[in-house]
Every structure is written in structure tokens, then in C-alpha cells.
Amino acid sequence: MAARHVACAGAIQRVATGSDGRIVAIGTEERVFNRYQRRAIALRDGGCVIPGCGVPAGWSEIHHVTEHVRGGPTHTDNAVLLCWYHHRFLDRIGWQLRMNNGVPELKGPPWHGTDHRWRAATTSPVRLKKRAKRILTT
Ligand SMILES: [Zn+2]
């Protein structure tokens, strides 16, 4: 069986064919984010969304907030930037992630010392600029 990626009109599809050339499976949605989605997510998140991490977007990976195998779409509304470490160990270190209308929100682990409420991730330069402006004008 061979898997090929077919790009057509900006969308990427995964097509698997048998040795006889028959189409065995066809994906309507790719598990890997395309470069346009990556750019948009990088602009929104700025880098790893875990507070205090500081790994920039270029060194971060894209995480499906609802896992792809559990039906989570490969969509910017289901994706956040995480560094290699936080991507691998997110479950073990206790940070919780969710999406709220396309905005990533985080809840800290008990040891983090915050009030354990859901908070919007604020690592994005765009979001931080808006926040700074709000603070300066009030
Ligand atoms: Zn990180």
C-alpha cells in the first residue's frame, strides 16, 4: 500500500492505494497542519502557550487540543503551539488546555500557585500588544 498526498486547489488529501492501484483509503482531512495554518497559529500564539516557557514559534510544534484520533479536526480552532518538552509531557505536568471560540485557554496544575481558573493564553505578540495598550490607556 502506498500513501500519497494530493494537493488540489489549496487542500491536501491523503490517498492510499493498493499494489494493484486501487484506492484503499482517502482522507478528507489531513492530520498535519499546512503552512498557512501554521503561520496563523504562530501569529496567534507567538510561541509555546505554557506560561513562563518562552520557546518561540519557530521552535514550537502544533498540538491538536482534541486529539486527531478522537475526531479533533486539523483546524486552527483546535490547535496550539507547544514546545517539544511541553508537547511530550503536557499530561504528566498537569497543565490543562482547551479552546474557547478559537482562543486557547489554560488551567495550571495545583503546584503552579495560581487560582486554578481557565485563562486565555497570552503569549501572542498580537494579544500582548492589545493587553499593553489596554493597561496604558486605563
Ligand atoms: Zn513550552
Side-chain angles (χ1 to χ4, degrees), residues 48-50 53-55 82-87:
C48 178
V49 296
I50 301 297
C53 179
V55 171
L82 289 175
C83 67
W84 185 92
Y85 175 81
H86 285 124
H87 202 180

Side-chain angles (χ1 to χ4, degrees), residues 16-24:
T17 54
S19 54
D20 59 353
R22 188 173 60 95
I23 294 171
V24 177

Side-chain angles (χ1 to χ4, degrees), residues 52-124:
C53 179
V55 171
W59 288 78
S60 295
E61 300 173 348
I62 299 180
H63 170 63
H64 282 81
V65 176
T66 300
E67 286 178 74
H68 189 260
V69 291
R70 295 196 177 145
T74 300
H75 190 281
T76 52
D77 285 352
N78 185 41
V80 293
L81 287 183
L82 289 175
C83 67
W84 185 92
Y85 175 81
H86 285 124
H87 202 180
R88 300 296 174 296
F89 300 109
L90 185 69
D91 297 336
R92 284 188 230 167
I93 56 177
W95 282 94
Q96 289 177 275
L97 263 172
R98 72 177 183 190
M99 297 302 286
N100 185 358
N101 289 322
V103 176
E105 291 185 338
L106 291 153
K107 195 162 143 182
W111 53 260
H112 191 252
T114 56
D115 55 7
H116 309 297
R117 285 186 309 154
W118 287 100
R119 292 174 185 277
T122 54
T123 50
S124 159

